[in-house]
Amino acid sequence: MKHHASDAHTLAAAYALGALEDGERKEFDAHLRTCEACRHEAAEFEATAARLAAAVAQPPPAAVKPQVMAAIDGVRQLPPRIPTVPSAAALGGMLRRRAVPLALAASVVAAALGGVTVWQAQNGQDLRQEARQAQRQLDAVSTVLAAPDARTVHGRAANGAVTTVVASRRQNQAVFTAGLLPTPGAGKTYQLWLDHKGTMRPAGFIDHDGTVLLTGAPADADAVGLTLEPAGGSPQPTTAP
């Protein structure tokens, strides 16, 4: 697959997720030797994905393994599913368009899948409720990431957090993701804001590295702000976003 020189810079997220083909990965490895910005970005994506998965993982209950082993004999094995393999050119085009959204979606999936071991320790009703909530969150975020008019902007907060906003004017929604976000501390939380011509309006919360759907309508907002606020949030920022 052939790339323009500028295309290589869009593949850091796909590289970190192991989503590149062998030839593409070799080309990107060569690119990393000469591009400090991409090395830094790929390392941050890898660290964030690993941190998100570890943050929600818990050992499964001791009773899970014997229950699964006991049920195996009664489960009929299905025939293997043979997927259709897209052409290298088609795959490459998709990766160039979706490299950053892939990493953001991965953070949501990591949180959802990591929580499965927690759900196993709860009763059936709690499990179904948590699963529905996780599915709704994943669907909402995926809708924004897959929007044809999705626009991605990167930034770095004053506290060192690496941030990304993906917004869709057509959907009138935006997704915020943060990596390397310091712990807010006891009685504190990170609050998000939408800047509407100088007026800061609450747009939700994020307590740790991850991805959230902003509340409110971002279509006419000029910027997204992040502040450290008392637990429960504030009607207006108490510090400069």
Side-chain angles (χ1 to χ4, degrees):
M1 203 181 76
K2 299 183 184 296
H3 299 290
H4 296 292
S6 62
D7 290 341
H9 299 289
T10 68
L11 297 179
Y15 176 87
L17 294 172
L20 297 181
E21 290 187 328
D22 290 342
E24 292 175 315
R25 188 172 186 86
K26 290 179 181 178
E27 289 182 16
F28 195 73
D29 279 331
H31 172 73
L32 287 179
R33 288 194 287 270
T34 61
C35 183
E36 182 179 355
C38 283
R39 287 199 302 271
H40 182 68
E41 187 173 16
E44 288 177 340
F45 277 130
E46 289 174 342
T48 298
R51 189 177 296 107
L52 287 166
V56 294
Q58 292 186 13
V64 170
K65 182 175 180 180
Q67 290 173 358
V68 172
M69 299 302 294
I72 286 177
D73 290 339
V75 178
R76 180 175 176 269
Q77 184 173 351
L78 297 176
R81 183 184 304 173
I82 302 176
T84 302
V85 180
S87 67
L91 180 60
M94 178 182 65
L95 288 174
R96 284 196 297 272
R97 292 191 302 270
R98 295 300 181 207
V100 172
L102 267 174
L104 301 186
S107 71
V108 179
V109 173
L113 294 183
V116 169
T117 56
V118 179
W119 297 340
Q120 289 174 337
Q122 300 173 340
N123 60 45
Q125 182 60 36
D126 288 344
L127 187 152
R128 287 190 292 271
Q129 182 177 354
E130 293 290 337
R132 285 194 294 268
Q133 290 176 349
Q135 185 62 55
R136 284 195 295 269
Q137 180 191 17
L138 182 58
D139 289 345
V141 170
S142 299
T143 298
V144 177
L145 300 183
D149 66 334
R151 179 187 176 196
T152 303
V153 179
H154 301 287
R156 183 179 289 275
N159 61 9
V162 179
T163 63
T164 300
V165 176
V166 179
S168 166
R169 182 174 295 275
R170 181 180 301 178
Q171 300 289 337
N172 197 18
Q173 289 184 315
V175 167
F176 179 90
T177 188
L180 307 178
L181 190 65
T183 302
K188 297 287 187 178
T189 187
Y190 289 107
Q191 188 166 358
L192 295 163
W193 308 87
L194 287 171
D195 183 356
H196 292 270
K197 295 179 172 50
T199 299
M200 304 302 291
R201 298 177 181 172
F205 302 93
I206 184 167
D207 292 323
H208 48 71
D209 289 354
T211 300
V212 296
L213 186 73
L214 296 182
T215 60
D220 60 345
D222 302 313
V224 174
L226 177 71
T227 61
L228 186 62
E229 301 291 339
S234 304
Q236 291 295 323
T238 60
T239 57

